[in-house]
Amino acid sequence: MEDVSAKFVSQKISRTRWRPLPAAALQPPDVFATGSWDNEDNRVSIWSAGDLGNAGLNGEYHGEPHLLCDIQHNGDVMDMQFLDQERIVVASSTGTVTIFRHHQNNQTLSANHRWEKAHYHVDQDTSCGGAACTGVVCNNPEIVTVGEDGRINLFRADQKDAVRTIDNADSSTLHAVTFLRTTEILTVNSIGQLKIWDLRQQRNEPSQIFSLAGDRVPLHCVDRHPNQQHIVATGGQDGMLSIWDIRQGTMPVSLLNAHEAEMWEVHFHPSDPDHLFTCSEDGSLWHWDTSTNVSEKPSFLHQGGRSTAYLSHSTINQSVVSAWLSNDPTKDRMEITNLIPNQTLSVNSLDVLGPCLVYGTDAEAIYVNRQLFA
Amino acid sequence: MDESDTEPPLVVVPGADPSARQLCFAWGPAEVLVCETLFGRAGGSCFRCLSRSPSPSRFWGEGWVGAAARALTGSVAGTGEGAPSSSRVFVVRRDQDIYIQTLRKLFNESHGIFMGLQRSEEELAGKSRKAQLVQVSKNYRSVIRACMEDMHQAAVSTRDSALQGQYSTQVSILSAMELIWNLCEILFVEAAAAGPLLLRLLDWVRLHVCDVDSMVREVLSSESPSKHKLFWNVVDVFVLQGRMDEARHLLSKEASANPTSMNMYKILDDLMKKMPVPSLGNTQTLTELELKWQHWHEECQRYLQDGTFASNPHMESICKILLGDEDAILEKKELMTTWYHFLVTRLLYSHPTVKPLELRFYAQSSIDLFLGGESSPEPLDMILMAAFEFEMHQVIKECSIVLSNWWFVAHLTDLLDHCKLLQSHNLYFGSNMREFLLLEYASGLFSHHSLWQLGVDYFDHCPEYGRVYLELHIERIPLSTEQKALKVLRICEQRQMHEQVRSICKIMAMKALRNNRLGSALSWSIRAKDAAFATLISDRFLKDYCERGCFSDLDLIDNLGPSMLLSDRLTFLGKYREFHRLYGEKRFPEAARLLLTLMTAHIAPCSFWMTLLTDALPLLEQKEVIFSAEQTYELMRCLEDLTAGNPDKQKFQDDDVETTKVEMLRLALARNLARVIVKEGTVERS
């Protein structure tokens, strides 16, 4: 594909994240962050997606991503998320959670705040024994982290100590976390369970447990539908995509055969949730499209106009209810495309925002696709 | 490579002083550990003796020696910080280039090309297959070039002079690699025939002789090129490289400035224009070309003899070059800089239809003429020479010795092998050369903390020893996080490496157990289907239960599902927990039945029977009768078995608490039996 630009970066990429756009922005995102893993020294880096000044006549972008700044990071970057325009929260395999600040005027990164060993085995004070922090999610100013120690931490960006810690929240490893509502979170673990936690309750028990029947296949990632909060997507070790309706039942509504190996990330498109993206250890990245009729597809994505998007919201939602939750065998209405043919090494992370997709691989390359819906 | 004709090179480990202390060593697949011993110096130094000795092992004999000349680097792993009495351990790795940051791009990108080549269709016959292979070769070269540019950028931008030197060295190594690869592409992969062969060689020279480029740029960008003092040099460069159109363009400028000699220029221009060149298409046969060329040659000869250019020495020398006059060409030695440029120029003007197999004679005489006995040929010259002689194995051998990495030879050999050019060239070790080199390269990748993932795919394409190597290497990957463990596990599972799967899961389970994460530990042992370990963990769970009176990690135990059947103890754990759940839900008859089955079916370990019987107590004391007469008899038998048949009988009698328990149980059982007889009797009668 000619509209994808790639860059080999000499480090294995574990996470890629677009910087969120300011509320009134019309232009596509142009800055993203990456984290590396399995290096002797790992780094958190901020990149510019390509030279906007070089935009050709047809709006094509030339030039590969270039590095704005980077900073050394202790341990593998396990997960990261932007807290706001400037701050980024990074989870480390050492169990430490760090907030880095990106100073945009002089293009530098600095550690803003650090919770040492937020996740740990046995004893927090000993010199060793940190447990990998596997997932982080932010809803400014709140930060929730989960880890291999089965612990859930709730931090606030401005407070030194954890606001709330649930020790032994899970007997197995927690792999990922996301916000369901402002006070509720969703976690997935290594024995195929999806749990809802209500942070208002003082009880250290999940308010609901959902699980895969049978084989207890570990779940690795979770994302919630941006508009309809009861629709949740998870990805498992066998590459299966599960769609859950958390209003009913304890089992997934549909199981969709997808990748051949671990699904590392799943993301609904934030403004066009008819589209879903998944990436996997088998080196593929899939685009799931449930917008039933191509001609009906709202075209706001290409124009980037917010007003059109707002107007067409209700109609989109209608189609989505039937699309993601439909239980009948009309799966053929879903259009699935593999965006990376011939890739061999794992795609560890992806992020979508507006018409742009960024993903990073174990082949030490980052890719930016700026015309997803072209 | 196939004979031990070179003495193994010495390996210098910086910091290790064999004159002060004896060194000892241990070698692994990718590293050698060297350490200082407590013994004082006695006789020669250990390490030197060793590397001189004839191949003590496979690794040492072939792999290490091939790489050793360039690639061994010492790094101090654990040091005693200068304390004279303490010993130090040095980690000696063989493939130094693996650790250069910029080259990681080369390794990763070429990995993709390599995989593409392995997947490519062998079915494509003849031309399309050849075109495909040439494309692959070009892709490899473009990766080398991209890497070279990055390295060049790095060299320019760094202020550290030592680093700059390092980068510049790498740039020159990469450019030599590209030069060799390109020649191999022309001669072996594409196997250009007479005619097109010359055109390819010309492209090759134009691409790689870049020393004159700056001069050309300087002259062309000056205000009036024809007045520039280097003007004629540039014209010569163009002529020597066969770039006729550019040469004519320059000459026309000079001509317009010298109206007096216009005629002379016109004739030369005409000669240059008319020079017949081989075409890439099949429009003309070689004989046609030779005929035309003969005519043109004679025409040049005529003009030279009748002194047309006598008034202008520059033009006369150009005419001589056109005639292929060796002395005239050799005069321009400085402009050609290399002997292979000289060779190609010579071929262009005297043997344009040279056949591939004739190349060796011209190459040999060119190098002799060009160097003129002043300097001896360098390794690069030897490699190119071997290529011109179509000695593929020699090329690979020389490259292995000279270049500082395995990347080049491994990939080139693989490509040539796909071209079906390397007949099964049997080595006296291993399988064949392709596999041997790929194994060496991949082993180097595995010694790197991060590049090991690339190595896996290379091992996959070594049919004979790849699997064994992979098995040995994969077990040595440190498993720092569960995510990394999962990735390694996936690699093993895809290849049905059951032994390694088990060992990885066991390592992870042990780690989890040490960290008191019983749930995780159990998950890992279930994944490994490791019954013994599952039993061990189940026992820990049961022990915890006995101590605390409640279960931990209920979310896991309640959801065991079919994996419960992995070990008896795990089954018991799951079932026992189920009993508690049923009891908690007040489903007493079901709970009672399950409890009894646990004992009668010998699912419960004997040591646990007492606990189970005690659990039966409250059920026996319920208002309703729960155990039937038959079940009560069974329970009694269990109790008797336990007290009578148990070798620990003595213990029961000694222990007051236990005795009381047994007494209470007997009482409860008797009372229950009484009640049940009454109840059952009543039911039957009514």
Side-chain angles (χ1 to χ4, degrees), chain A residues 38 171 237 348 362 364, chain B residues 104 108 453 484 487 527:
Chain A
D38 205 24
S171 60
Q237 183 149 289
N348 292 326
D362 273 346
E364 306 189 343
Chain B
R104 284 173 68 161
N108 277 291
Q453 272 174 305
K484 188 168 177 184
K487 278 176 185 272
R527 180 152 186 189

Side-chain angles (χ1 to χ4, degrees), chain B residues 577-594:
Chain B
R577 162 62 197 156
E578 199 179 321
F579 162 74
H580 276 263
R581 213 181 57 230
L582 291 172
Y583 187 84
E585 289 166 6
K586 300 215 183 312
R587 291 154 70 183
F588 296 132
E590 283 160 276
R593 207 176 310 133
L594 180 60

Side-chain angles (χ1 to χ4, degrees), chain A residues 101-132:
Chain A
R101 183 183 284 277
H102 175 211
H103 305 276
Q104 292 178 37
N105 40 9
N106 58 358
Q107 293 300 356
T108 51
L109 270 173
S110 64
N112 181 251
H113 188 78
R114 181 168 286 151
W115 290 281
E116 295 284 353
K117 277 204 216 136
H119 292 271
Y120 58 93
H121 291 302
V122 195
D123 185 6
Q124 197 167 14
D125 298 323
T126 51
S127 58
C128 57

Side-chain angles (χ1 to χ4, degrees), chain A residues 7-12 14-15 37-41 64 76 78 93 121-122 129 132 147-151 168-175 189-191 193 195 209 211 214-216 218 220 237-239 260-262 264 281-282 342-346 348 362-364, chain B residues 93 99-105 108-109 111-112 115 119 150 448-454 457 478 480-484 486-491 493-494 508 511-512 514-524 526-527 552-557 559-563:
Chain A
K7 186 173 178 66
F8 282 84
V9 294
S10 293
Q11 50 190 350
K12 292 197 279 196
S14 59
R15 280 293 179 266
W37 77 285
D38 205 24
N39 257 335
E40 259 164 4
D41 69 317
E64 52 183 25
D76 295 349
M78 300 296 286
S93 61
H121 291 302
V122 195
E148 280 183 12
D149 54 356
R151 196 171 268 116
N168 244 328
D170 203 307
S171 60
S172 50
T173 297
L174 287 170
H175 280 144
N189 68 11
S190 64
I191 51 171
Q193 292 170 329
K195 296 182 180 176
I209 300 182
S211 62
D215 288 345
R216 316 172 332 121
H220 285 295
Q237 183 149 289
D238 51 359
E260 283 159 19
E262 285 87 351
W264 292 127
E281 175 74 19
D282 68 4
N342 287 335
Q343 173 85 31
T344 54
L345 289 183
S346 168
N348 292 326
D362 273 346
E364 306 189 343
Chain B
R93 291 169 173 157
Y99 295 88
I100 296 173
Q101 195 73 2
T102 323
L103 285 185
R104 284 173 68 161
K105 180 176 169 162
N108 277 291
E109 221 172 337
H111 167 259
M115 291 304 287
R119 272 196 294 257
D150 278 6
H448 190 274
H449 53 85
S450 188
L451 291 171
W452 56 272
Q453 272 174 305
L454 299 178
D457 286 321
S480 45
T481 63
E482 287 196 5
Q483 176 145 344
K484 188 168 177 184
L486 287 173
K487 278 176 185 272
V488 178
L489 207 54
R490 172 63 61 183
I491 289 169
E493 278 177 348
Q494 275 169 349
M508 295 313 286
K511 264 189 185 172
R514 260 204 307 275
N515 292 325
N516 245 336
R517 303 273 308 145
L518 292 186
S520 279
L522 189 54
S523 293
W524 280 110
I526 289 173
R527 180 152 186 189
S552 57
D553 301 325
L554 284 181
D555 51 347
L556 174 71
I557 301 172
N559 286 288
L560 283 175
S563 51

Side-chain angles (χ1 to χ4, degrees), chain A residues 270-313:
Chain A
S271 55
D272 193 3
D274 278 2
H275 300 268
L276 182 102
F277 297 86
T278 59
C279 64
S280 158
E281 175 74 19
D282 68 4
S284 58
L285 192 156
W286 286 17
H287 174 185
W288 308 66
D289 182 358
T290 55
S291 51
T292 39
N293 198 327
V294 181
S295 59
E296 275 177 25
K297 203 165 100 180
S299 57
F300 66 91
L301 276 166
H302 311 291
Q303 292 148 9
R306 284 178 68 82
S307 53
T308 20
Y310 187 73
L311 283 177
S312 53
H313 251 168

Side-chain angles (χ1 to χ4, degrees), chain B residues 13-27:
Chain B
V13 181
D17 185 6
S19 60
R21 279 168 168 200
Q22 280 196 15
L23 300 175
C24 66
F25 75 101
W27 68 84

